[in-house]
Amino acid sequence: MLTVKEIFFSEYEIKKSKFISYLAPYSEFDELLKKLQNEHPKARHFVYAYRYLNEFDQVVENSSDDGEPKGTSGKPTLATLAGKDIVNSCIITVRYFGGIKLGTGGLVRAYSDSANKVISEAKLFPYTKEFLYEYEIEYSELQRYEYVANKLGIKVVDKVFSENVIFKISCEKEKKEEFEKEVLLHTS
């Protein structure tokens, strides 16, 4: 399985219709869709497909044709994601209609080609399962924990401030061990 860690986009044009496809981490789906709808007010369609793993490691997937004829856009986009075995990711394709109808077969090809193009231009990574880890630390240790997490590229999920700080990170098991070693090295 593969995944992406940042947003990629590409443009594809056929018969004067422009297809702008965005491949992004699934965690950014809702925000990206709203942003694109605001940035492209004259676009005719915002077709999407996503696949992610739920807490039971089951693949959850969905797609939308957003007004295109049923099955001509969202499903081919989803089939492209599934065919490349990409998870925890989404594709949103913004379509500007060029005045020439493509027909159902033409739409299927156009959306598939646009999805394939953005995937081919993206940087894909092997999927690794991440776990949530929680540390209760003193306020004086917070800067060190943040520094080490940032240095190792570990996602800080939350910081809860009370008597102590509850510092939460999300990463794979190997990174957790590396994180804990680094934190101990940087104690003063």
Side-chain angles (χ1 to χ4, degrees):
M1 286 188 282
L2 300 168
T3 192
V4 292
K5 296 182 180 180
E6 59 186 295
I7 299 172
F8 296 90
F9 80 96
S10 71
E11 291 186 18
Y12 177 75
E13 197 168 313
I14 183 166
K15 294 186 180 177
K16 297 183 182 177
S17 279
K18 187 194 268 188
F19 297 83
I20 310 166
S21 287
Y22 295 81
L23 174 63
Y26 175 71
S27 59
E28 299 187 33
F29 171 72
D30 291 324
E31 190 178 310
L32 180 60
L33 182 58
K34 286 178 191 152
K35 180 181 171 214
L36 293 175
Q37 288 168 333
N38 288 333
E39 285 180 6
H40 299 275
K42 293 185 178 175
R44 181 72 66 91
H45 303 282
F46 296 87
V47 168
Y48 65 79
Y50 58 76
R51 300 179 82 228
Y52 68 88
L53 294 172
N54 67 13
E55 64 271 20
F56 306 109
D57 287 335
Q58 298 164 319
V59 176
V60 176
E61 47 188 33
N62 192 15
S63 65
S64 167
D65 294 320
D66 190 38
E68 292 282 27
K70 186 172 172 52
T72 62
S73 50
K75 281 192 175 159
T77 303
L78 181 58
T80 304
L81 277 175
K84 305 276 187 193
D85 205 17
I86 298 173
V87 293
N88 294 350
S89 303
C90 66
I91 291 180
I92 301 171
T93 301
V94 178
R95 180 184 181 198
Y96 285 92
F97 181 59
I100 300 170
K101 292 192 176 195
L102 302 177
T104 55
L107 285 171
V108 169
R109 279 189 301 280
Y111 279 100
S112 295
D113 290 348
S114 188
N116 274 311
K117 188 171 190 274
V118 74
I119 289 169
S120 71
E121 294 176 9
K123 187 171 184 183
L124 299 171
F125 295 89
Y127 166 76
T128 52
K129 185 172 175 88
E130 291 188 352
F131 298 90
L132 190 63
Y133 300 102
E134 191 174 293
Y135 302 90
E136 186 171 346
I137 59 174
E138 303 285 326
Y139 277 81
S140 60
E141 298 175 296
L142 180 59
Q143 189 174 3
R144 183 174 74 245
Y145 274 67
E146 287 177 321
Y147 169 78
V148 172
N150 188 41
K151 177 182 169 189
L152 297 176
I154 292 174
K155 191 179 342 172
V156 177
V157 177
D158 198 11
K159 294 177 272 191
V160 180
F161 300 94
S162 58
E163 201 173 301
N164 287 320
V165 179
I166 306 297
F167 187 79
K168 298 178 185 178
I169 60 171
S170 176
C171 62
E172 53 270 8
K173 287 179 182 175
E174 296 77 25
K175 278 253 177 141
K176 173 200 179 246
E177 293 164 9
E178 193 178 345
F179 174 77
E180 290 175 349
K181 283 181 192 169
E182 283 281 324
V183 164
L184 289 174
L185 285 176
H186 288 88
T187 47
S188 30

